[in-house]
Amino acid sequence: YNSDLIGGRWATDTGPRAGVYYRRSTNGGSSFGTPLRLNPSTQHASRGVIAASGSKVYGLYVTQTKWVRYSKTAPRVIYTRANANYGAGAWGTARRLTSLTGRVDYPSLAAYGSVVYVAYTDAATGGVKIAISRNGGSKFSTKGLGSTTNTISDGKAGLPSVSVYGSLVVVAWTADAHGKVVAKVSRDAGKTWAGNTLATTAQGYATTHVAGGRLSVAWPT
């Protein structure tokens, strides 16, 4: 979860700084353990996402330079962290996925075993991208999937959704302001992609799911 209430104090531009937190339940959600902050206390972060596969848990957050005097054109950077013990104990070092001077929209995260997928939009150019790690989040490579002209106050926003099961991966996003929904599918764990347009007048962002050999994309009309 994201929070701008830190130790009983509200976040300010100079501190305390907004955080993304993780809590773990071992009894089906009846109770949760102590919160763990995923981003450093020296930086603001929000837009947190989490994914799990087997014993591996992956977290993601987006940093920003200011909280109260938030700048829409200031850098927004994606970082990820990983834990290989069902979320218990220490988490790995934060890995930066995007440029320190770039801006991203709202990223999506999916994992299958040690393979991790992060889908996001370059808010300056509209490029929709997928970052893939095949070693549990230690190293990522990034490729472009398409683009969007959809614009929100923060810049271009494709609001991509990524899902995976085995080697089958799907990414869907909003491609323009009229509600065009585009999906790209990979059947070889993200090595090659093919896709098509699913809708032209959606009234919101798309979501995805993969289970077994089937995949689905949903969107509001």
Side-chain angles (χ1 to χ4, degrees):
Y1 64 93
N2 309 305
S3 180
D4 60 352
L5 183 63
I6 305 95
R9 297 171 58 199
W10 294 108
T12 70
D13 288 342
T14 57
R17 291 173 170 82
V20 173
Y21 295 85
Y22 166 81
R23 297 185 70 179
R24 175 176 179 261
S25 173
T26 59
N27 55 15
S30 296
S31 61
F32 285 82
T34 302
L36 169 71
R37 181 170 174 136
L38 293 182
N39 67 300
S41 60
T42 54
Q43 65 182 191
H44 292 292
S46 62
R47 309 186 187 197
V49 188
I50 198 158
S53 179
S55 64
K56 296 177 173 58
V57 186
Y58 304 97
L60 174 156
Y61 56 87
V62 177
T63 62
Q64 59 190 67
T65 58
K66 297 292 180 70
W67 189 256
V68 178
R69 295 178 177 84
Y70 172 70
S71 171
K72 301 172 184 177
T73 58
R76 296 190 298 271
V77 186
I78 297 176
Y79 288 84
T80 65
R81 295 186 69 182
N83 179 293
N85 188 32
Y86 299 96
W91 282 60
T93 303
R95 307 288 182 182
R96 179 171 59 86
L97 298 192
T98 58
S99 167
L100 289 172
T101 59
R103 292 182 291 144
V104 302
D105 71 340
Y106 292 83
S108 177
L109 173 66
Y112 190 84
S114 296
V115 187
V116 190
Y117 303 86
V118 178
Y120 66 95
T121 309
D122 183 320
T125 67
V128 176
K129 302 183 178 183
I130 185 82
I132 304 173
S133 171
R134 304 190 187 280
N135 57 5
S138 295
K139 185 178 180 180
F140 284 82
S141 59
T142 303
K143 65 172 62 179
L145 293 180
S147 63
T148 183
T149 58
N150 183 51
T151 304
I152 61 175
S153 61
D154 284 350
K156 298 289 193 303
L159 303 170
S161 172
V162 58
S163 295
V164 58
Y165 187 92
S167 60
L168 182 61
V169 193
V170 59
V171 179
W173 68 90
T174 300
D176 63 26
H178 301 293
K180 181 179 180 180
V181 176
V182 174
K184 286 287 182 74
V185 176
S186 174
R187 299 184 181 278
D188 53 12
K191 295 175 183 176
T192 60
W193 297 81
N196 46 68
T197 298
L198 302 184
T200 56
T201 57
Q203 294 299 305
Y205 61 88
T207 58
T208 58
H209 187 68
V210 181
R214 298 172 179 263
L215 62 87
S216 59
V217 181
W219 61 91
T221 63

